[in-house]
């Protein structure tokens, strides 16, 4: 995913610097070439050897060490960088960068680069909230600097507050988003639905299904990584909100329809990976339904939910998923025709490694002309990529596709 990307990772003197070893390791595992530059104070918290170990690259720690070769290299690193990430970033480095100070390897590299710079601050709440720090942040934001707000929680001072280094997952997501912003879907707007809906029976119980949201999230993240602006409308899920995506949480089919209608008007594509309930209780009781006499059956009256994909139409492409247990292609093709879709991805949900909950899927993509492509078992990430390839072809083939702006 990050193959052929050079990420310069700047590490400054914060106790959170130990988390950067995990960041460097994950970026390297994802294929990036990670070049670490540590400030002098960072080396007091964590050894450069750790970063050398996880990146298999030399680590720059000083401008003056002959062995590092940095005094000649720093311009080369500034030029080679696809992105510079400073995590953790102290109040000190933010102040230096805001004022153009270049007195060590990291500040020299940032000042010399044309690459985007991502800053993940970590510091005491008071230092973060200080108006001087906030003014420096605001100043940098007007240039090509992106900030990931620090999180709230336990701090090294023993206090609880704002100032924790953001989750490594969020930092990596944001790196992907920034690196992808000139991707082949740049300028496109995509609405994706994910997860199952919960149709309430009473305040305690609901009708739901096994959808975990993984397939829809994978589509949303893949579109973001290719430069698209993405809205993700999701039913209840255990997955964390991805960074760089507008996430709308809903519970029911009716709420999902409202969110789709509200967001899709400005979109180029609607991709519905959600497993929307087909039926909902006709009435929802305000009190918990009590168990009645032993042996007495309880009957629930169900009514149809709105068929979102069939009902929501406009100048955007419409892509559906079909979760099938038998006659997969026939059933999916019927749904494609009935709902007049541009594409449908049919998945066999009887196989243990495909469909609900798992990280892999086996999908056949069927297009409007009836042509189908059966994909082998692959990760949901890869399935998402293959669907987006087809979506992009359709978008580019649409009349007026060139120069399409919002
Ligand atoms: O979330 P995961 O655990 O990763 O699982 C992924 C998945 C199996 C849920 C996903 O890959 C999938 O197949 N989603 C569609 C599931 C489905 O229930 O399809 P369907 O055959 O009921 O509906 C066909 C299409 O119409 C779907 O795009 C669906 O979102 C849409 N629909 C269905 C009913 C309804 N009332 N409104 C809709 O818009």
């Amino acid at each position: 995913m990050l193959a052929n990307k050079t990420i310069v990772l700047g590490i400054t003197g914060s106790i959170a610097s130990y988390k950067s070893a995990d960041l460097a390791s994950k970026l390297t595992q994802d294929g990036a070439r990670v070049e670490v530059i540590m400030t002098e104070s960072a080396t007091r918290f964590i050894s450069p050897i750790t970063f050398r170990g996880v990146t298999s690259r030399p680590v720059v720690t000083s401008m003056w060490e002959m062995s590092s070769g940095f005094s000649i290299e720093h311009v080369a690193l500034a030029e080679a960088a696809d992105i510079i990430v400073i995590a953790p970033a102290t109040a000190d480095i933010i102040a230096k960068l805001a004022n153009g100070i270049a007195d060590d390897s990291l500040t020299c590299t940032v000042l010399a680069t044309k690459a985007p710079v991502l800053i993940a601050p970590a510091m005491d709440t008071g230092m973060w909230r200080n108006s001087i720090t906030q003014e420096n942040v605001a100043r940098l934001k007007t240039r090509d600097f992106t900030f990931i707000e620090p999180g709230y929680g336990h701090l090294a001072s023993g206090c609880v507050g704002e100032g924790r280094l953001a989750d490594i997952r969020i930092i990596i997501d944001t790196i992907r988003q920034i690196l992808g912003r000139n991707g082949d879907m740049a300028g496109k707007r995509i609405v994706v639905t994910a997860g199952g809906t919960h149709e309430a029976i009473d305040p305690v119980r609901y009708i739901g299904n096994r959808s975990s949201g993984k397939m829809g999230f994978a589509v949303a993240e893949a579109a973001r990584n290719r430069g698209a602006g993405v809205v993700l409308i999701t039913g209840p899920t255990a997955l964390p909100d991805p960074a760089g995506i507008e996430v709308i949480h809903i519970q029911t089919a009716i709420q999902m329809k409202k969110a789709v209608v509200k967001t899709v008007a400005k979109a180029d594509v609607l991709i519905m990976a959600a497993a929307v309930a087909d039926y909902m209780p006709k009435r929802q009781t305000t009190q918990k339904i009590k168990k009645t006499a032993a042996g007495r059956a309880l009957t629930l009256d169900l009514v149809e939910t709105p068929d979102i994909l069939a009902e929501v139409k406009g100048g955007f492409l419409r892509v559906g998923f079909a979760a099938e247990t038998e006659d997969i292609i026939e059933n999916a093709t019927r749904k494609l025709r009935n709902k007049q879709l541009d594409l449908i991805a049919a998945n066999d949900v009887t196989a243990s490694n495909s469909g609900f909950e798992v990280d892999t899927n086996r999908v056949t993509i069927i297009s409007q002309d009836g042509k189908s492509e059966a994909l082998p078992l692959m990760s949901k990430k890869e399935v998402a990529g293959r669907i987006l390839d087809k979506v992009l072809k359709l978008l580019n083939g649409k009349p007026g596709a060139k120069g399409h702006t919002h």
Side-chain angles (χ1 to χ4, degrees):
M1 247 305 303
L2 293 171
N4 306 320
K5 298 293 180 195
T6 298
I7 299 175
V8 171
L9 176 60
I11 297 158
T12 66
S14 156
I15 187 64
S17 56
Y18 76 93
K19 296 179 184 170
S20 307
D22 186 32
L23 174 61
S25 168
K26 290 202 165 101
L27 293 173
T28 307
Q29 284 171 43
D30 213 13
R33 188 175 76 144
V34 181
E35 304 282 3
V36 173
I37 305 178
M38 299 176 76
T39 61
E40 204 273 320
S41 45
T43 62
R44 310 254 171 164
F45 286 94
I46 184 166
S47 166
I49 295 168
T50 305
F51 292 98
R52 191 180 179 116
V54 294
T55 64
S56 304
R57 303 282 309 158
V59 173
V60 176
T61 53
S62 164
M63 293 233 278
W64 312 114
E65 252 175 51
M66 293 305 285
S67 58
S68 85
F70 182 77
S71 49
I72 348 164
E73 274 290 305
H74 79 280
V75 177
L77 279 188
E79 275 173 13
D82 290 295
I83 184 169
I84 297 181
V85 182
I86 307 180
T90 55
D92 179 66
I93 189 90
I94 292 170
K96 281 182 178 169
L97 295 176
N99 290 287
I101 294 171
D103 66 349
D104 64 7
S105 321
L106 183 56
T107 46
C108 282
T109 306
V110 175
L111 206 62
T113 196
K114 289 196 179 74
V117 182
L118 175 64
I119 298 184
M123 66 193 78
D124 167 70
T125 310
M127 292 170 84
W128 173 246
R129 282 263 144 248
N130 190 299
S131 59
I132 300 174
T133 306
Q134 289 303 313
E135 276 168 26
N136 288 333
V137 169
R139 185 162 191 201
L140 289 170
K141 279 183 179 170
T142 62
R143 315 286 207 285
D144 198 9
F145 288 78
T146 304
F147 278 78
I148 302 182
E149 295 294 306
Y152 182 93
H154 180 83
L155 299 168
S157 59
C159 302
V160 173
E162 214 179 346
R164 276 170 74 88
L165 182 69
D167 277 3
I168 297 302
R169 176 190 63 79
I170 295 175
I171 298 175
I172 296 177
D173 262 12
T174 311
I175 293 171
R176 290 208 173 103
Q177 183 199 6
I178 293 173
L179 289 175
R181 65 188 177 192
N182 297 319
D184 57 5
M185 299 200 109
K188 309 289 184 219
R189 281 167 179 259
I190 308 209
V191 175
V192 182
T193 68
T197 59
H198 284 186
E199 310 298 334
I201 298 168
D202 67 14
V204 178
R205 306 171 180 101
Y206 59 82
I207 297 174
N209 61 65
R210 287 175 48 207
S211 174
S212 63
K214 284 182 179 174
M215 190 62 245
F217 275 55
V219 173
E221 288 172 14
R224 173 201 63 197
N225 296 347
R226 291 166 76 157
V230 183
V231 177
L232 173 62
I233 301 166
T234 179
T237 171
L239 303 174
D241 286 1
I245 288 177
E246 184 192 340
V247 184
I248 301 175
H249 292 272
I250 56 86
Q251 297 277 329
T252 67
I254 288 178
Q255 289 168 357
M256 182 172 276
K257 183 176 175 192
K258 268 192 198 147
V260 169
V261 169
K262 201 170 156 197
T263 51
V264 85
K266 288 190 198 142
D268 299 282
V269 192
L270 168 64
I271 303 179
M272 291 215 38
V276 187
D278 289 322
Y279 292 92
M280 60 186 177
K282 190 172 177 183
R283 262 170 256 101
Q284 188 196 131
T285 63
T286 50
Q287 301 298 332
K288 183 180 169 191
I289 299 172
K290 299 280 180 301
K291 193 173 173 185
T292 48
R296 245 180 81 187
L298 174 72
T299 306
L300 280 178
D301 274 340
L302 301 179
V303 291
E304 275 189 8
T305 56
D307 190 323
I308 306 167
L309 201 47
E311 293 170 20
V312 180
K313 291 185 181 143
F316 46 88
L317 293 183
R318 287 151 62 248
V319 180
F321 272 77
E324 300 297 340
T325 54
E326 55 182 349
D327 304 328
I328 294 163
I329 305 303
E330 295 74 10
N331 285 329
T333 307
R334 192 169 338 102
K335 285 176 184 170
L336 172 96
R337 301 239 178 282
N338 289 347
K339 303 190 191 202
Q340 298 171 314
L341 305 178
D342 296 283
L343 291 174
I344 197 159
N347 40 198
D348 177 356
V349 292
T350 59
S352 62
N353 52 9
S354 166
F356 294 113
E357 293 162 329
V358 289
D359 292 325
T360 48
N361 210 357
R362 190 188 297 276
V363 154
T364 299
I365 307 175
I366 309 166
S367 32
Q368 222 175 26
D369 57 11
K371 281 193 190 141
S372 66
E373 186 184 359
L375 301 177
L377 184 75
M378 52 177 75
S379 69
K380 285 184 174 169
K381 223 190 229 182
E382 288 170 298
V383 169
R386 300 292 280 266
I387 292 170
L388 292 179
D389 288 346
K390 291 212 184 287
V391 163
L392 197 62
K393 260 195 196 155
L394 290 176
L395 277 177
N396 290 339
K398 256 174 86 171
K402 277 207 182 103
H404 183 105
T405 51
H406 293 280

